[in-house]
Amino acid sequence: MSQLDTAHRPRRPFALLGSELALVFRRRRTWATLGALALVPVLIAIAVRLTTDGSSGGPAFLGDITNNGLFVAFTALTVSIPLFLPLTVGVVSGDTVAGEASHGTIRYLLVAPTGRLRFVLVKYAGAVAFCLAATLLVVLVGAAVGAMLFPIGPVTLLSGTQVGGWSYAGRAVLLALYVTLSMLGLAAIGLFASTLTTVPVGAMAATVVLAGVSQVLDQLPQLDWLHPFLFSHRWLGFGDLLRDPISFDSFGSNAVLQLGYVAVFGALAYGRFATKDVLS
């Protein structure tokens, strides 16, 4: 496999990363998952367009969308966080190492112990790149379809103040970065699960199930003490980015939480991979 060969070329330190990114985004499965995510804002916009005339009485977000198409991106991102994004991230991260093992290419890296840390880092970087691409895609498609089907104008923030379209676009980018950050812990869990098996589907399923379990536990009041430690606890905590002035308190808290999971499960993934026997 080409990226495995380039891992041993010291004069091209980023060749393996470039090869991994190309591998991730050339797969039909990746484009299929991205296409499914792109349908979320499209379906939301079409459903709102066909089922409401902008009058009051329906859910609040319906009125927001019909009054301003820019809200399609925000609504689609909010809808995608609990299920669709974790599902796609679980698929990609669960395939990182297990996919190589299932194709029999991982054994070429196992004979070079000095390359194992870089291999794990590059595989995780590929998963992170997918998280960023997926969230930006939802935002961009949502903004585009919203502009086509609904009027565009100043956006009323949660604090009650209004901002122009370009200012809201900057906040939409921050929302995408917040959601990408929220997926980092799950991607690290998927990477670790991927080192435990040679069957990618098993690692994918385990990662997706853990995402669901974490969200269920986060809804149980009897487990209030556990909630702050769940990687999904702050997935929807981006309200501070929609206030004036912007507060980055939730962003910082989410970063600490997610980076903690990255550190723990990244170390576990490397520890497992560093001692992995040649199985394929």
Side-chain angles (χ1 to χ4, degrees), residues 30-181:
T30 300
W31 286 103
T33 55
L34 290 175
L37 282 174
L39 284 176
V40 175
V42 173
L43 293 176
I44 289 175
I46 293 176
V48 173
R49 182 69 177 178
L50 295 177
T51 59
T52 183
D53 58 1
S55 59
S56 60
F61 77 90
L62 295 183
D64 291 337
I65 291 176
T66 54
N67 293 329
N68 197 326
L70 294 176
F71 275 104
V72 173
F74 170 72
T75 304
L77 206 55
T78 304
V79 171
S80 299
I81 291 174
L83 176 61
F84 300 111
L85 277 172
L87 179 61
T88 57
V89 171
V91 169
V92 172
S93 61
D95 187 61
T96 49
V97 179
E100 297 280 5
S102 66
H103 287 95
T105 55
I106 200 171
R107 63 180 180 271
Y108 299 111
L109 286 170
L110 291 178
V111 299
T114 57
R116 298 188 185 191
L117 176 59
R118 182 168 62 171
F119 175 77
V120 172
L121 292 175
V122 164
K123 286 295 182 182
Y124 184 68
V128 171
F130 174 83
C131 295
L132 179 60
T135 53
L136 287 176
L137 178 66
V138 173
V139 170
L140 292 176
V141 173
V145 72
M148 288 188 293
L149 297 180
F150 304 100
I152 298 295
V155 178
T156 302
L157 302 176
L158 296 179
S159 56
T161 57
Q162 285 191 333
V163 297
W166 287 110
S167 178
Y168 181 75
R171 293 171 186 266
V173 172
L174 288 177
L175 287 174
L177 292 177
Y178 184 97
V179 175
T180 300
L181 178 67

